[in-house]
């Protein structure tokens, strides 16, 4: 059984999850290749076999997560599409590629305006659907689309986790998830030390989380986001916007006072007071995060079992 992963050539959470799946599939004995669809040119041969010619070499590279680039897709292959490629899934199914998998790596980033079309529902229900988050699984069920959880796991450094580090910084945040919040961050910087997590390696991000008290997330949560998990793991208390997957206690297992509405995030005085309140009760909040940290530590083992269940579901389709 051969798997083909359709992946963008980007350094974001979705491609990282795909490389994790690629490695897991190979480790349990399956062949797996990666199609970088955003830098590929596609051509169908007379037998409808799909060939891929690339405009350039992929940039995506994660240490210890090697992959084989796909140049040819056969009808018998199991093709795994991210949630943004609904149109390509439909087109390939109509050309006879029936072993299709739709991986809902997010819900909000999917083409939601197209999902309820009859053609879309028909082809989605005929495919295997798997979900990175319980949030996406719940939302899809409202459309009659069901499937198992196939999540991902958090990269963490065990030595860094155990290391005793003084929290020398107050707040860190992701600029690319904070567009429109610049004035709020500017106000906060009058009272707190702040580090933007930008142009850093993964290890640099984790070291900054380790030495920071708080991670403030202004963004939406289309899936089970990675950085809030890393922050929680390193005792950097996440304060997240209560939207998307952050609303799910199964996806993001944080105290309800750490999941805040946008009216608090858009008011710098209210946000400052809330941060100070949490800081005064820091030990209590850290204690409340212990079960979440344990969940994060166990994500890899859970993920491998999910991959095995996924493979069994594919075998039933052959």
């Amino acid at each position: 059984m051969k798997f083909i992963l359709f992946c963008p050539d980007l350094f974001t959470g979705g491609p990282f999850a795909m490389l994790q799946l690629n490695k897991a599939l190979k480790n349990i004995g399956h062949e797996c290749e990666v199609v970088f669809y955003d830098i590929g040119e596609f051509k169908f041969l007379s037998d409808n076999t799909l060939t891929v010619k690339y405009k350039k070499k992929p940039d995506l590279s994660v240490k210890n997560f090697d992959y084989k680039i796909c140049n040819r897709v056969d009808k018998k292959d199991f093709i795994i599409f991210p949630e943004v490629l609904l149109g390509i899934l439909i087109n390939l199914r109509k050309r006879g590629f029936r072993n299709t998998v739709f991986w809902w790596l997010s819900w909000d980033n999917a083409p939601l305006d197209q999902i309820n079309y009859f053609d879309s529902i028909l082809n989605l229900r005929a495919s295997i659907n798997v979900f990175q988050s319980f949030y996406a699984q719940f939302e899809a069920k409202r459309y009659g689309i069901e499937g198992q959880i196939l999540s991902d796991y958090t990269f963490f450094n065990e030595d860094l986790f155990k290391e005793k580090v003084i929290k020398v910084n107050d707040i860190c945040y992701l600029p690319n998830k904070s567009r429109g919040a610049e004035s709020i961050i500017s106000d906060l910087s009058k009272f707190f030390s702040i580090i933007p997590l930008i142009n850093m390696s993964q290890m640099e991000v984790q070291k900054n989380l380790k030495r920071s008290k708080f991670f403030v997330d202004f963004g939406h949560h289309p899936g089970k986001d990675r950085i809030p998990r890393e922050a929680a793991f390193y005792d950097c208390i996440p304060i997240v916007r209560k939207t998307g997957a952050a609303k799910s206690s199964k996806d993001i297992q944080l105290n309800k006072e750490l999941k805040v509405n946008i009216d608090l995030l858009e008011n710098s005085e209210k946000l400052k007071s809330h941060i100070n309140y949490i800081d005064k009760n820091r030990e209590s909040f850290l204690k409340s995060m212990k079960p979440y940290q344990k969940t994060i530590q166990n994500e890899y083992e859970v993920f491998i079992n999910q991959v095995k269940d996924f493979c069994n579901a594919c075998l039933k389709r052959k």
Side-chain angles (χ1 to χ4, degrees), residues 213-226:
K213 292 182 178 180
F214 299 97
F215 169 70
V216 179
D217 194 337
F218 293 91
H220 70 305
H221 294 261
K224 190 172 68 172
D225 286 6
R226 177 173 56 90

Side-chain angles (χ1 to χ4, degrees), residues 2-6 22 31-35 67-72:
K2 181 180 174 184
F3 292 93
I4 307 295
L5 280 161
F6 270 58
N22 171 71
E31 189 178 356
C32 189
E33 298 178 359
V34 180
V35 168
Y67 53 81
K68 182 179 180 181
I69 297 175
C70 178
N71 295 291
R72 180 188 178 107

